[in-house]
Amino acid sequence: KPSSYAMVDQRKMPAPRQRVDSGADPNFGLIGDFKSDEAIARSLIFTMISFWYWFAYWFNDFKVVGAEKIGQHKKCLIVGYHSTNNMDIYMSMTATQRATGRVVRGLFHRLLFLVWPGTLLRDLGGVPGYKKTAVQLIDEGYCTGVIPGGAKEAMTGFENAYKLCWGKTKGVGRVAKATRCTVLTVFSKNVEEMRWNPILALWNLLRLGKVFDLLCAIPVLGKPIFVVGCFVWINASFLTIPVPVRVTGYVSDPVEYDPDNDSPEEITAKIKASLQAMIDEHQPHGQSYTRALRERFMPKEE
């Protein structure tokens, strides 16, 4: 099978412990045991989502630059940007597993585990995004991933594509400080252009995103409105049309921070700055379907 990745010798990686002390924190009761990377990679559901990797490999000339860095650090936290289509999550999970043998354990919004996406995410190694869960995952040697902007970042509208929307969150800084782990930021060029969604396009054309933001700001009612909006967006995100732009993933060098002297807010700011700099470097012109298509099929001569 074709592959763009160099395999990493996993014999050098200490095997993580497999059990979670569910009595240590009530939140762990939502998880139970952590499955091994090997068990998840062999599962039917993981095999099924790998379809999106192979489809993108051929249709979007998908590859990842620097994937081997993930295999070089036992305690690793991967921080990324939330696209509107979600397909890049499955592609990147498969690419990382093929390159390093490790399955990225995603930290997801807790509400997702109350409805149908939760079953899918759990089978793929995903867990509710509690801080203590993240700390234990990393301390036990699991490669852990998080998108701090979450659904809010993905729902900000096409006009805000490729702009991080983290709000006042500092959880990623707290986890990094507590675990003293290696933090890597990741981004895929043209991740928004690889799919076209007619529903989201109409939503953007009618400026309904701004109306939605106003509704979410209503006291008391704002939060349930946002939750309903999230579930509508999740289902709508699957109704996409593939676009044959070239998609390239990038993995940064470790983010420099001082776990002894930097506050969680300062660490979070450094991680965010690293990720935004990566986005600005590889996607300097923002979202543009025509530009992305020209780059692949009508490249300029050097």
Side-chain angles (χ1 to χ4, degrees):
K1 297 181 180 180
S3 175
S4 301
Y5 311 100
M7 298 302 291
V8 175
D9 187 354
Q10 293 301 300
R11 291 174 296 181
K12 299 178 182 179
M13 301 293 296
R17 291 177 288 124
Q18 303 301 320
R19 294 289 300 182
V20 172
D21 181 7
S22 59
D25 185 272
N27 296 332
F28 289 143
L30 297 171
I31 303 170
D33 297 345
F34 290 142
K35 294 181 180 179
S36 68
D37 289 346
E38 293 76 11
I40 294 175
R42 291 195 302 266
S43 68
L44 175 61
I45 189 64
F46 197 90
T47 301
M48 290 174 63
I49 70 161
S50 67
F51 164 80
W52 295 113
Y53 163 77
W54 288 111
F55 179 83
Y57 182 91
W58 294 109
F59 190 75
N60 298 108
D61 193 24
F62 177 60
K63 63 179 180 180
V64 177
V65 178
E68 68 282 353
K69 299 175 186 177
I70 297 173
Q72 296 170 356
H73 306 281
K74 177 185 176 184
K75 297 176 62 172
C76 181
L77 177 63
I78 300 174
V79 182
Y81 161 79
H82 208 313
S83 72
T84 59
N85 60 66
N86 295 319
M87 292 299 106
D88 57 304
I89 295 177
Y90 307 131
M91 292 158 44
S92 300
M93 285 184 65
T94 304
T96 300
Q97 194 280 328
R98 287 181 54 79
T100 68
R102 306 177 77 182
V103 175
V104 178
R105 309 310 176 99
L107 302 172
F108 295 93
H109 197 291
R110 296 180 286 275
L111 289 175
L112 290 176
F113 290 84
L114 301 179
V115 291
W116 74 264
T119 302
L120 171 65
L121 298 175
R122 196 184 304 277
D123 291 341
L124 293 174
V127 296
Y130 296 105
K131 176 197 169 185
K132 290 187 177 180
T133 309
V135 169
Q136 187 159 358
L137 274 169
I138 295 172
D139 282 344
E140 293 193 1
Y142 293 99
C143 181
T144 306
V146 65
I147 302 176
K152 177 66 175 177
E153 189 168 87
M155 296 168 64
T156 53
F158 289 4
E159 68 274 13
N160 295 310
Y162 299 119
K163 296 177 183 178
L164 298 180
C165 181
W166 288 16
K168 297 180 179 180
T169 182
K170 53 186 176 183
V172 66
R174 288 173 174 168
V175 172
K177 186 177 181 67
T179 59
R180 310 173 74 89
C181 65
T182 299
V183 179
L184 302 173
T185 55
V186 296
F187 172 70
S188 293
K189 179 178 180 179
N190 293 330
V191 65
E192 297 289 2
E193 289 85 347
M194 67 179 286
R195 288 277 195 267
W196 183 75
N197 189 313
I199 296 177
L200 296 182
L202 180 62
W203 176 275
N204 183 70
L205 180 64
L206 298 177
R207 295 290 188 265
L208 294 180
K210 297 185 182 299
V211 177
F212 181 70
D213 289 340
L214 292 174
L215 293 175
C216 290
I218 299 175
V220 182
L221 296 177
K223 188 170 184 179
I225 290 174
F226 178 74
V227 172
V228 172
C230 285
F231 291 136
V232 172
W233 161 73
I234 289 173
N235 288 281
S237 69
F238 289 97
L239 304 176
T240 58
I241 299 173
V243 181
V245 300
R246 178 177 289 111
V247 179
T248 305
Y250 296 92
V251 181
S252 75
D253 292 328
V255 177
E256 295 184 3
Y257 70 96
D258 185 345
D260 294 319
N261 299 312
D262 290 345
S263 67
E265 293 85 353
E266 291 171 329
I267 297 174
T268 299
K270 290 181 178 181
I271 296 171
K272 183 178 180 181
S274 172
L275 179 54
Q276 189 63 65
M278 175 180 283
I279 294 173
D280 294 342
E281 176 185 357
H282 298 293
Q283 200 82 37
H285 303 291
Q287 185 182 40
S288 173
Y289 287 94
T290 55
R291 181 183 292 274
L293 287 168
R294 286 200 306 266
E295 285 180 350
R296 181 173 187 185
F297 297 107
M298 295 183 292
K300 294 180 179 180
E301 295 183 2
E302 298 294 338

